[in-house]
Amino acid sequence: MKNNNIAIYHAAPRIGDKLIHLDFYYSIFKKYKKKILLICNNKDQIISKCDFFSEIIDLEIKKGLPQILSFIKFNKIIKSRKISKIYIFEKNSKPALFSFLSGIDCIYSYGIKNIQKLFIHNNSIDKNFFPLIEYDQAENFLKKTSIKKYKFFFKRNKLFKNHIFICNKASDNLRKWPNQNLKEIIVKILNSNSGSKIFLNIDHQDYLDLSNQIKSNLFYTSNLSLTDLFDVISKCSFSLSVDTGPSHISLRLGIKTYVLFSRTLPNKYSDNLIPIIDKNIKDFDKSIITNRKSDNINVDYVWDYIKHEFKK
């Protein structure tokens, strides 16, 4: 049987990385009108909900001597699934080299220019292209491969007007908002609408030292599976979050999502994203990323963004 199947390789170990790129995975599926094999690092329950993948395979391409074993596994996947075309959402040239050695006919990759001259079928992304915005980078990549972009959103449940999702949990502690600020914004929300139910995703519920009256309106989600967290967020009227995986779940559900960007730049892939950025910053200059602090985004500043949600 002729090899005519299509694969995507994107390591993307964090759920947010994959969710940011869903439009592009989906666009490749739409172009070829056939389901796509996704090879990634750390397969998760949310991405598995997408019905345009024929299969999702968990594979980590390792460094040093273990990469030989990684190549053997990669080659076996390619041969057994009869892959003839692959799109690689990585600047690392190793997946492209593996693809070449596995006999794939068409390889599209961010790659590196001098490597691409040998065996890759498209031009590399311009070196001066802003590298910190993942979504923009991937969009530029697909334009170079002449693929029309389509938007993808998960279907959501019926929204409950008084349900709010708040997330202050992130892999990078510098992205988190100070606990005192979080406590104050919760109090403001409940003072404005005492009937609000706040689904709170934080490291530990005791960090906030809240009164029992306030706690009765809070529902902690930190211990939920990704699937259960997805279901909770899908019922909320809006979300307030730091830049982390659950904020991308909210956006992919088409829910209005206010995101506090303290150390990262917004991937503006949804009109439902309302970025909240340090008001002292006039533009998204990558040179100032390391100088930004989450405590520069104060409670009153955030409240000005979300207070209209309680006047509907």
Side-chain angles (χ1 to χ4, degrees):
M1 184 183 293
K2 185 179 178 181
N3 291 4
N4 62 357
N5 291 323
I6 302 160
I8 293 170
Y9 177 83
H10 188 195
R14 297 173 301 184
I15 182 175
D17 297 328
K18 290 188 277 290
L19 289 173
I20 286 169
H21 288 79
L22 270 187
D23 288 348
F24 308 110
Y25 304 162
Y26 183 60
S27 297
I28 293 169
F29 159 73
K30 293 284 285 185
K31 177 177 176 63
Y32 295 102
K33 297 180 174 59
K34 64 187 306 182
K35 292 190 176 184
I36 308 296
L37 167 67
L38 175 64
I39 305 170
C40 62
N41 184 357
N42 195 17
K43 174 182 175 180
D44 63 69
Q45 301 155 316
I46 305 303
I47 297 301
S48 297
K49 288 178 175 286
C50 299
D51 61 4
F52 52 85
F53 293 123
S54 59
E55 190 178 1
I56 302 175
I57 297 178
D58 199 335
L59 174 70
E60 179 183 1
I61 295 181
K62 298 183 178 180
K63 298 178 181 179
L65 286 177
Q67 70 184 306
I68 297 172
L69 183 58
S70 297
F71 170 70
I72 292 170
K73 291 179 179 177
F74 183 90
N75 184 59
K76 183 177 180 180
I77 291 167
I78 298 306
K79 299 292 188 187
S80 61
R81 274 72 176 182
K82 302 187 182 301
I83 302 300
S84 63
K85 193 185 301 284
I86 189 166
Y87 289 82
I88 302 169
F89 288 85
E90 296 284 340
K91 287 181 285 186
N92 182 351
S93 61
K94 197 176 297 178
L97 181 59
F98 280 15
S99 299
F100 175 68
L101 296 175
S102 296
I104 296 178
D105 295 330
C106 295
I107 304 166
Y108 298 94
S109 170
Y110 292 3
I112 298 174
K113 278 189 175 179
N114 61 348
I115 298 292
Q116 285 194 334
K117 287 177 183 177
L118 296 176
F119 55 81
I120 299 177
H121 297 239
N122 70 299
N123 296 321
S124 62
I125 280 187
D126 300 332
K127 292 297 181 183
N128 61 355
F129 195 77
F130 198 17
L132 293 176
I133 308 291
E134 293 175 87
Y135 189 87
D136 291 353
Q137 189 179 62
E139 185 170 42
N140 194 47
F141 173 49
L142 281 204
K143 281 180 182 177
K144 285 180 175 288
T145 57
S146 302
I147 293 181
K148 180 181 177 181
K149 188 181 74 174
Y150 290 86
K151 291 280 189 178
F152 178 84
F153 294 99
F154 291 110
K155 292 180 181 178
R156 65 189 184 196
N157 295 321
K158 177 184 177 182
L159 299 183
F160 290 83
K161 184 178 179 181
N162 292 330
H163 287 200
I164 303 161
F165 176 70
I166 297 180
C167 180
N168 196 38
K169 189 174 182 180
S171 56
D172 178 3
N173 285 330
L174 293 173
R175 296 188 188 189
K176 297 177 186 176
W177 213 26
N179 286 329
Q180 183 59 34
N181 288 8
L182 183 60
K183 178 178 178 178
E184 289 179 23
I185 204 73
I186 289 172
V187 171
K188 279 182 175 288
I189 289 171
L190 294 177
N191 283 342
S192 180
N193 185 351
S194 60
S196 294
K197 291 185 177 181
I198 298 175
F199 295 86
L200 191 59
N201 196 283
I202 58 175
D203 289 319
H204 199 286
Q205 63 190 64
D206 293 336
Y207 287 174
L208 298 182
D209 189 28
L210 295 163
S211 69
N212 288 333
Q213 182 179 358
I214 290 176
K215 285 181 179 179
S216 66
N217 291 77
L218 303 183
F219 302 85
Y220 295 97
T221 65
S222 300
N223 294 326
L224 295 180
S225 68
L226 276 176
T227 300
D228 289 340
L229 182 63
F230 179 96
D231 290 340
V232 165
I233 296 173
S234 71
K235 298 173 184 175
C236 292
S237 57
F238 75 90
S239 298
L240 172 65
S241 177
V242 293
D243 182 20
T244 188
S247 69
H248 296 293
I249 294 175
S250 178
L251 286 166
R252 283 299 175 192
L253 281 161
I255 293 170
K256 186 184 290 186
T257 307
Y258 299 87
V259 182
L260 281 61
F261 290 96
S262 56
R263 300 279 294 184
T264 53
L265 293 172
N267 284 280
K268 185 77 169 136
Y269 58 83
S270 170
D271 292 337
N272 294 304
L273 169 63
I274 298 92
I276 303 177
I277 300 174
D278 187 342
K279 58 186 175 183
N280 297 317
I281 295 170
K282 303 301 181 186
D283 56 45
F284 300 155
D285 187 329
K286 64 181 179 180
S287 65
I288 57 177
I289 284 286
T290 55
N291 297 323
R292 289 155 70 169
K293 296 180 179 178
S294 58
D295 52 5
N296 288 342
I297 303 174
N298 62 43
V299 174
D300 289 336
Y301 184 54
V302 173
W303 180 247
D304 284 342
Y305 273 89
I306 68 171
K307 62 185 178 183
H308 70 279
E309 297 288 347
F310 307 97
K311 296 178 182 179
K312 294 178 181 179

